[in-house]
């Protein structure tokens, strides 16, 4: 085994790899950009090397600087993590040429699987079913349109070099094809520097199921069963699990055998994933799955496989890269229980999943059971330069029962509600609603589930009454004579007999009254009555009660006139009216500014155009996503201050509006 490893990545994945390295006695070396000088992965490493400016293209994507850092720090091996350079065959080759150990597949295997058309040819030759479609060299619009008609609508246009859900367009009829093609090409060129596409049949009610494979340098090759990653938003994974709901032994055998065939065709070594799109319109079938692509790296969702197999995949990566044989044979790898992973991101689901950057003012996972792979801690900042993944939560249930998956979902939802993160907005409330969604709970997963239920999944308002009660209780307790928050064993509600509050919450007025009725309390929120029993709290800021017979709790953070309450992962701000507030009034602004640094992808308006409130004006590309910036009010565009393709700073003016009368 090598004695030192450099991780060419950041955040959660770097911390994850360091954990195994430490356990194996391998010295850890981090690299960091200007934005990450004090980051958690830097703090946790034995040594850290600065590699450049904040922009990934100046640091985490600079293979030359990373290899120089490895040399300078005396690293024997490089682990690329995922994203960044992990699937770059030239980087893998450069690492090997520099005399270092590359912890990943061979450059040849990465290259063979790097393009979706070539990968599908290899799979087809290996006898693995592939989605019907066009993968030819000719790329003119006429050929592609004809190909789409031959395949039959609806189809998907996909960037040959695509990844992370980018460069994909769904087309439902021939009339829409040309525009979709152009837009897919533009995105593909910008994101991957390659505008070639393939055309594929769109599978109805699809599921995404993938198989983890592992090979060594001695011809050893095994699979580690499947993961279901069907819960997606815009073709990006949100929640993943293992095993797949409804999987049968026969279908599993067929999918795993096919994955091994693909891997064998490229003499695969180290960790890899074979992805399939699956017909989810009925029970899983042996003839109902098709090869999509192979990801030649460790994946974000590898922990669910670790949970159900009891293996450490990073340890396997190290051993295989060092030349050892696979630690276990296929027969020795077994599947136990059910595991679910949820990706916790700094984003605001209720605002179109807009990324939320800035300092993490609170981070506490102490009362959360289960595994958390985090890339940040209290005091760290979410940077606009990278993706928004903060941490992953992994729940594993091992007691076999027909209700196991349901109980794992419920358990994961409960634990996520205990994770305390403040500062940037997170998607935790959304994740909890996904986990508790009736169809998901029943295992009826498919890739459209989130889109079909979007309105209810992003809406945290069902928790608002409980949050308002919690805010009132916290205030009542804070004003009682003894300071019950200081009691070591928690407090019990024991103050006045009637009190009323008037809060402002998200622009609305909320009225709460609490009336004591012997041991119980009656609360009313905006006139609706609730019965409270068993009211209590602790000094960590948690307040709990049975509200109408159901146990509910909330975390309270009081700062002056503002009370922040978290209930089930949703955050609410309650302010006492009249108190001074730091933020501006709600008057709709005349200016559309960049909420974060990024690149102007498209401009959907021009000077002089009349626009309606909510109409998309500019698409900004930032943090690996596209964000639509909409008109804050009705008006006329006075000025478009940027051009397509421009790089803009946070706060940069993009579009200025004037009132319809001013424009006249
Ligand atoms: P996976 O297929 O492993 O689940 P995704 O496709 O969801 O990964 O992720 C999209 C891309 O973003 C991948 O290339 C992934 O490696 C990358 N990515 C996700 N999180 C991070 C991170 N914290 N740092 C760097 N890259 C990341
Ligand atoms: P990427 O490299 O961006 O991950 P994939 O080819 O893996 O691209 O596709 C991303 C996602 O899009 C899949 O996980 C799946 O949900 C969906 N998808 C891909 N191909 C099809 C298809 N032919 N029919 C239906 N859905 C598909
Ligand atoms: Mg994929």
């Amino acid at each position: 085994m090598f004695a030192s490893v450099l991780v060419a990545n950041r955040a959660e994945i770097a911390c994850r790899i360091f954990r195994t390295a430490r356990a194996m006695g391998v010295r850890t070396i981090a690299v960091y950009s200007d934005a990450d000088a004090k980051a958690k992965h830097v703090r946790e490493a034995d040594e850290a090397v600065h590699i450049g400016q904040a922009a990934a293209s100046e640091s985490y994507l600079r293979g030359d600087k990373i290899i120089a850092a490895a040399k300078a720090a005396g690293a024997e091996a490089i682990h690329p993590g995922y994203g960044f350079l992990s699937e770059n065959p030239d980087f893998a080759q450069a690492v090997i040429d520099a005399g270092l150990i590359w912890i990943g597949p061979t450059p040849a295997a990465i290259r063979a699987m790097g393009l979706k058309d070539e990968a599908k040819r290899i799979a087809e030759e290996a006898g693995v079913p592939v989605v019907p479609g066009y993968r030819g060299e000719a790329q003119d619009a006429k050929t592609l349109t004809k190909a789409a008609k031959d395949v039959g609508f609806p189809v998907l246009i996909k960037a040959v070099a695509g990844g992370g859900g980018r460069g994909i367009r769904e087309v439902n009829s021939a009339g829409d094809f040309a525009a979709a093609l152009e837009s897919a090409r533009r995105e593909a060129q910008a994101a991957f520097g390659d505008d070639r596409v393939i055309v594929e049949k769109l599978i109805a009610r699809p599921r995404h199921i993938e198989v983890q494979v592992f090979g060594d340098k001695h011809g050893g090759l095994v699979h580690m069963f499947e993961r279901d990653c069907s819960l997606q938003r815009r073709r990006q994974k949100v929640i993943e699990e293992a095993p797949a709901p409804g999987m049968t032994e026969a279908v599993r055998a067929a999918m795993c055998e096919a994955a091994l065939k693909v891997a064998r065709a490229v003499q695969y070594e180290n960790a890899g994933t074979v992805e399939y799109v699956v017909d989810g319109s009925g029970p899983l079938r042996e003839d109902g799955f098709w090869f999509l692509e192979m990801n030649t790296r460790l994946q974000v969702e590898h922990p669910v496989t670790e949970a159900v197999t009891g293996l450490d995949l990073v340890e396997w990566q190290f051993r295989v890269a060092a030349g050892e044989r696979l630690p276990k044979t296929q027969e020795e790898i077994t599947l136990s229980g059910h595991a679910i992973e949820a990706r916790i991101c700094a984003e605001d689901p209720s605002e179109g999943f807009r990324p939320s950057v800035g300092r993490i003012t609170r981070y506490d996972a102490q009362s959360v059971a289960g595994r958390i792979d985090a890339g940040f801690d209290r005091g760290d900042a979410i940077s606009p330069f990278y993706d928004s993944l903060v941490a992953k939560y992994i729940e594993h249930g091992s007691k076999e029962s027909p209700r196991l998956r349901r109980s794992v979902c419920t358990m994961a939802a409960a634990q996520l509600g205990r994770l305390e993160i403040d500062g940037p907005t997170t998607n935790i409330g959304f994740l909890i609603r996904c986990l508790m969604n009736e169809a998901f709970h029943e295992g009826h997963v498919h890739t459209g589930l989130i889109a079909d239920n979007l309105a209810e999944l992003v809406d945290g308002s069902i928790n608002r009454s409980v949050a308002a009660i919690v805010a009132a209780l916290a205030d009542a307790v804070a004003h009682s004579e003894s300071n019950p928050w200081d009691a070591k064993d928690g407090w019990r509600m024991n103050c006045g007999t009637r009190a009323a509050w008037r809060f402002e919450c998200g622009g609305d007025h909320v009225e709460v009254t609490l009336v004591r009725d012997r041991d119980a309390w009656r609360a009313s929120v905006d006139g609706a009555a609730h019965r409270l029993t068993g009211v209590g709290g602790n000094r960590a800021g948690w307040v709990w009660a049975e509200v109408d017979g159901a146990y509910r709790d909330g975390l309270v953070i009081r700062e002056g006139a503002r009370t922040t309450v978290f209930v089930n992962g949703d955050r609410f701000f309650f302010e006492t009216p009249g108190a001074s507030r730091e933020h501006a009034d709600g008057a709709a602004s005349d200016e559309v500014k960049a909420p974060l640094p990024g690149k102007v992808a498209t401009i959907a308006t021009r000077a002089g155009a009349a626009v309606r409130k909510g109409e998309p004006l500019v698409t900004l590309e930032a943090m690996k996503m596209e964000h639509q910036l909409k008109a804050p009010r009705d008006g006329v565009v006075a000025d478009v201050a940027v051009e397509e393709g421009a790089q803009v700073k946070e706060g940069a003016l993009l579009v200025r509006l004037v009132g319809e009368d001013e424009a006249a």
Side-chain angles (χ1 to χ4, degrees):
M1 180 57 51
F2 41 83
S4 56
V5 64
L6 177 145
V7 177
N9 217 300
R10 63 186 297 278
E12 156 296 300
I13 184 61
C15 297
R16 159 72 192 91
I17 296 161
F18 289 156
R19 182 157 58 75
T20 291
R22 271 195 305 275
M24 295 176 74
V26 173
R27 189 164 69 94
T28 55
I29 299 150
V31 290
Y32 64 94
S33 69
D34 287 350
D36 281 340
K38 294 181 181 146
K40 181 169 154 90
H41 77 277
V42 171
R43 298 195 299 271
E44 289 186 352
D46 294 323
E47 192 177 334
V49 185
H50 176 249
I51 49 167
Q53 290 160 23
S57 57
E58 296 299 320
S59 48
Y60 298 108
L61 290 172
R62 285 288 297 272
D64 55 341
K65 290 189 178 181
I66 290 168
I67 291 171
K71 293 270 177 195
E76 287 175 51
I78 292 187
H79 192 306
Y82 42 67
F84 296 136
L85 294 167
S86 60
E87 292 183 277
N88 182 321
D90 297 333
F91 177 63
Q93 190 61 56
V95 169
I96 295 163
D97 292 346
L100 302 165
I101 294 172
W102 165 250
I103 305 177
T106 60
I110 300 177
R111 192 166 279 121
M113 289 297 160
L115 297 177
K116 289 195 197 304
D117 52 349
E118 176 63 10
K120 283 182 174 122
R121 269 192 286 276
I122 293 172
E124 205 162 39
E125 246 166 58
V128 172
V130 167
V131 196
Y134 172 83
R135 304 191 291 274
E137 304 239 315
Q139 289 285 315
D140 58 288
K142 205 169 145 215
T143 307
L144 290 168
T145 311
K146 175 163 184 313
K149 283 184 191 148
D150 292 347
V151 170
F153 290 96
V155 300
L156 283 183
I157 303 174
K158 280 190 191 173
V160 165
R166 321 255 338 241
I168 300 182
R169 294 290 181 281
E170 183 177 326
V171 195
N172 292 304
S173 68
D176 300 335
F177 191 81
L181 176 63
E182 196 185 313
S183 119
R185 277 202 170 130
R186 193 180 51 234
E187 190 176 17
Q189 183 64 41
F192 313 110
D194 182 342
D195 72 352
R196 287 175 300 154
V197 297
I198 57 175
V199 177
E200 234 170 64
K201 176 135 203 74
L202 181 80
I203 304 300
R205 206 181 154 93
R207 287 173 63 174
H208 173 116
I209 300 181
E210 58 187 32
V211 174
Q212 176 74 53
V213 297
F214 234 106
D216 64 21
K217 294 180 193 294
H218 311 279
L221 183 70
V222 294
H223 69 76
M224 294 174 179
F225 313 105
E226 81 281 1
R227 294 185 285 258
D228 190 311
C229 314
S230 298
L231 217 69
Q232 303 185 349
R233 194 181 76 81
R234 295 158 114 217
R235 309 192 193 285
Q236 298 193 20
K237 298 161 187 169
V238 175
I239 289 178
E240 304 100 339
E241 60 185 303
M247 184 54 84
T248 64
E249 279 309 325
V251 176
R252 173 175 294 139
M255 294 184 84
C256 292
E257 190 43 51
L260 293 175
K261 280 186 193 163
V262 173
R264 218 172 274 129
V266 290
Q267 286 140 42
Y268 201 79
E269 59 180 67
N270 219 293
T273 297
V274 174
E275 295 191 330
Y276 301 103
V277 62
V278 174
D279 178 356
S281 61
L284 298 173
R285 303 188 322 270
E286 282 166 68
D287 62 350
F289 66 89
W290 300 270
F291 172 83
L292 271 184
E293 63 168 343
M294 181 166 192
N295 289 329
T296 51
R297 55 174 161 89
L298 191 68
Q299 285 194 248
V300 176
E301 59 273 24
H302 75 277
V304 295
T305 298
E306 297 189 317
V308 295
T309 59
L311 303 172
D312 179 333
L313 267 58
V314 176
E315 178 188 341
W316 278 51
Q317 288 195 292
F318 280 21
R319 293 198 182 284
V320 163
E324 293 181 24
R325 286 181 187 276
L326 293 175
K328 289 196 174 199
T329 63
Q330 188 68 68
E331 291 66 40
E332 289 168 338
I333 302 170
T334 55
L335 184 64
S336 147
H338 198 97
I340 286 192
E341 172 184 280
R343 299 188 185 195
I344 300 161
C345 295
E347 62 187 15
D348 188 348
S350 69
E351 291 288 330
F353 294 86
R354 188 166 70 199
S356 177
V357 298
R359 185 94 27 220
I360 297 174
T361 53
R362 184 183 187 104
Y363 181 92
D364 191 342
Q366 278 182 59
S367 39
V368 184
R371 170 174 170 183
I372 297 182
D373 283 14
F376 300 86
D377 214 328
R378 182 191 175 133
D380 292 336
I382 305 295
S383 156
F385 290 100
Y386 315 109
D387 66 280
S388 61
L389 188 67
V390 180
K392 303 180 304 201
Y393 176 71
I394 304 102
E395 177 66 37
H396 179 219
S398 53
K399 216 166 132 236
E400 292 299 342
S401 99
R403 297 179 58 82
L404 176 61
R405 182 178 176 279
R406 285 167 152 277
S407 74
V408 171
C409 290
T410 308
M411 190 64 168
Q415 298 303 316
L416 278 167
R418 302 217 173 113
L419 181 57
E420 302 175 11
I421 304 179
D422 198 11
T425 309
T426 75
N427 64 343
I428 295 177
F430 166 75
L431 293 173
I432 292 174
R433 278 186 288 282
C434 288
L435 288 164
M436 298 310 285
N437 170 274
E438 188 56 32
F440 182 75
H441 227 67
E442 294 293 330
H444 301 313
V445 295
H446 63 106
T447 64
L449 197 144
I450 288 180
D452 291 353
N453 298 283
L454 194 65
E456 64 187 78
L457 292 175
V458 300
D459 179 11
S461 63
I462 50 161
N463 291 315
R464 199 172 82 162
S465 296
V466 171
I469 292 171
V470 165
L473 285 168
D475 192 61
V477 168
H479 288 101
S480 67
E481 323 67 278
S482 60
N483 193 347
W485 293 98
D486 284 341
K488 283 209 175 56
D489 51 351
W491 52 263
R492 307 265 308 160
M493 196 64 192
N494 184 27
C495 47
T497 51
R498 186 196 163 91
W501 288 262
R502 224 174 117 79
F503 295 118
E504 264 176 38
C505 178
D508 300 336
H509 290 283
V510 184
E511 296 206 356
V512 186
T513 55
L514 292 177
V515 180
R516 189 166 172 191
D517 183 3
R518 288 186 210 93
D519 279 350
W521 291 73
R522 274 179 293 124
S524 98
V525 181
D526 289 337
H530 300 279
R531 220 181 106 75
L532 307 185
T533 49
V535 176
N538 66 16
R539 49 196 327 220
W542 285 89
V543 173
W544 53 79
E546 273 175 32
V547 181
D548 304 324
Y551 177 85
R552 304 297 304 266
D553 58 15
L555 173 68
V556 185
I557 304 165
R558 289 163 45 84
E559 293 156 308
R562 175 195 263 211
T563 303
T564 306
V565 180
F566 288 86
V567 173
N568 283 350
D570 287 311
R571 182 172 61 181
F572 301 88
F573 299 119
F574 293 97
E575 313 208 18
T576 315
S580 67
R581 256 169 291 131
E582 71 256 38
H583 32 256
D585 61 0
S589 152
D590 284 341
E591 295 182 336
V592 179
K593 293 181 174 171
L596 60 175
K599 185 169 151 197
V600 178
T602 53
I603 297 175
T605 192
R606 59 187 159 70
V611 295
R612 293 263 151 238
K613 180 177 173 184
E615 189 176 318
L617 301 180
V618 175
T619 312
L620 189 71
E621 229 177 76
M623 295 177 85
K624 308 181 91 172
M625 304 274 284
E626 287 196 346
H627 312 285
Q628 283 207 330
L629 305 179
K630 299 176 178 163
R633 62 177 178 95
D634 293 355
V636 172
V637 174
D639 186 18
V640 178
V642 287
E643 284 177 2
E644 282 186 5
Q647 286 288 343
V648 292
K649 295 201 167 116
E650 181 178 347
L653 175 68
L654 306 177
V655 174
R656 204 164 51 80
L657 301 177
V658 288
E660 272 152 23
D661 39 344
E662 291 166 70

